[in-house]
Structures are given as C-alpha cells and as structure tokens.
C-alpha cells in the first residue's frame, strides 16, 4: 500500500520510484545514481495511515551518501520532502598530474667561480736623465787666409 517517487525538479523527470511495499515488518531498500539537481521525494500511502503506529512501527529515510535528506514515519496519505538546487555546480578544475619519475633529478653542478686575474702593481716611471746642453762656440772659426797666388815666371 506504500509507494514513493523521486522527481528531479530541474528537469521534471522521475529519476527513481518504488511501490508495492505491502508486507508487514519488512525492510525495503532501494538505491540508484542520480544527477545533481533539486529533488522532490514523495511517499504515498494508499490507506492514508502512514507506515507507523496503527499496524506496526515503520519508518523511512532517504540518504545521499551518508547525509540523511528526508525521514519520517507517521503521515497521512503522503509526505513530501525537497532538497538540492537547480543551480549549476561550478566546473571541476582540470588537474594535470605531475610526471612520475623513478628518482629525483640531481641538481645541476655549478663550477666554482673563476678567480679574478692578478694585476701587477704599477711600475714607476722610467728615469730620464736631464738633457745635456749642446756645446757652445764663441763664434764661428774664420776661414783660413790663403796668400794671393804668386804669378808664374814668364819665359
């Protein structure tokens, strides 16, 4: 006499449903995968006496993972629970795994710096002797005086 539906309110589609739960003292379990969305869970009782108390101690619960979304026991002809949202979930980030290596890459070897060249100390300026004065003459030497030529004998 008990049935239920799980309707995706974002699309209007019935995602899961169950019924013909008529045996007393029996636990019914249904499960399934559903897309993200806003859902309306409706449980119906044909005789409007719920599943608790007049003919036993029944109850129901709806879970998503380990979270209880809806639960109850005593109700008339139906009980309705809603949960979720029609808002789009943000896109999942793209994860690129790092490459797998068998061992870490060794660090590069950097050679020691080259020592600076040794620059010799500056040399002292060469010693230049003082200039030697040029010889001086008092005046130019007069040209030698040659006596006048003697005339040759006439013969």
């Amino acid at each position: 006499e008990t049935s239920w539906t799980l309707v995706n309110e974002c699309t209007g589609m019935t995602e899961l449903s169950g019924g013909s739960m008529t045996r007393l003292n029996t636990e019914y379990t249904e499960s399934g995968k559903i897309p993200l969305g806003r859902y309306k869970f409706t449980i119906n009782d044909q005789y409007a006496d719920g599943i608790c108390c007049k003919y036993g101690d029944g109850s129901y619960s709806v879970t998503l993972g380990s979270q209880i979304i809806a639960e109850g026991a005593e109700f008339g002809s139906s009980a309705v629970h809603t949960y979720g949202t029609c808002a789009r979930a943000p896109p999942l980030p793209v994860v690129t795994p790092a490459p797998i290596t068998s061992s870490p890459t060794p660090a590069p070897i950097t050679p020691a710096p080259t020592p600076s060249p040794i620059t010799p100390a500056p040399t002292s300026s060469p010693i230049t002797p003082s200039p030697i004065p040029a010889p001086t003459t008092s005046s130019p030497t007069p040209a030698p005086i040659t006596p006048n030529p003697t005339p040759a004998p006439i013969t």
Side-chain angles (χ1 to χ4, degrees), residues 7-152:
V7 176
N8 184 330
E9 291 191 318
C10 303
T11 64
M13 294 185 63
T14 299
E15 297 288 342
L16 299 170
S17 63
S20 301
M21 295 181 223
T22 58
R23 285 189 271 154
L24 295 174
N25 300 318
T26 302
E27 181 177 302
Y28 295 92
T29 303
E30 301 279 341
S31 64
K33 292 186 178 192
I34 57 173
L36 291 176
R38 179 172 175 79
Y39 286 91
K40 178 171 70 172
F41 172 77
T42 305
I43 188 165
N44 300 298
D45 185 276
Q46 182 179 354
Y47 298 111
D49 58 1
I51 56 176
C52 173
C53 307
K54 286 187 181 177
Y55 301 104
D57 290 324
S59 66
Y60 66 91
S61 68
V62 178
T63 59
L64 181 61
S66 61
Q67 180 182 6
I68 296 175
I69 303 300
E71 62 185 343
E74 193 170 354
F75 60 94
S77 60
S78 68
V80 177
H81 302 273
T82 57
Y83 66 93
T85 179
C86 289
R88 297 189 76 164
L92 296 175
V94 175
V95 177
T96 305
I100 299 172
T101 58
S102 58
S103 62
T105 304
I109 298 172
T110 305
T114 305
S116 299
I118 298 172
T119 305
T123 56
S124 56
S125 299
I127 298 174
T128 306
S130 298
I132 299 174
T136 57
T137 54
S138 49
S139 57
T141 305
I145 297 175
T146 310
N148 286 336
T150 323

